[in-house]
Amino acid sequence: MIIRSIVVENFGRFNSRTFEFRRGMNLVTGPNEAGKSTLAEVIPAVLFGSNQVDRFRPWGRSGCSAQLVFERSGRTV
């Protein structure tokens, strides 16, 4: 099973964003404070939960959400 995309709403520095991934190795690059670490934190937060959700919620916004889209044998979940 591979991650095809990550969809985030009000998660860290991302207001509303979808990150698409291709088969094989994907490289996430950017300057400091671009959100690379935040993007990496999304995966375990969605899979296992997080007791630090307030850490990811931007100031002045209520709630944050993230969604992982997986692919296996040509089907997405």
Side-chain angles (χ1 to χ4, degrees), residues 27-63:
L27 187 63
V28 178
T29 64
N32 291 343
E33 299 298 319
K36 300 177 300 291
S37 296
T38 300
L39 185 61
E41 297 256 2
V42 170
I43 298 167
V46 170
L47 292 175
F48 308 113
S50 175
N51 59 358
Q52 299 178 353
V53 174
D54 288 338
R55 177 177 157 214
F56 301 111
R57 188 179 62 221
W59 289 358
R61 299 224 170 102
S62 60

Side-chain angles (χ1 to χ4, degrees), residues 16-30:
S16 178
R17 186 85 188 262
T18 300
F19 298 90
E20 301 284 335
F21 300 99
R22 296 181 180 176
R23 289 190 166 277
M25 184 170 63
N26 291 265
L27 187 63
V28 178
T29 64

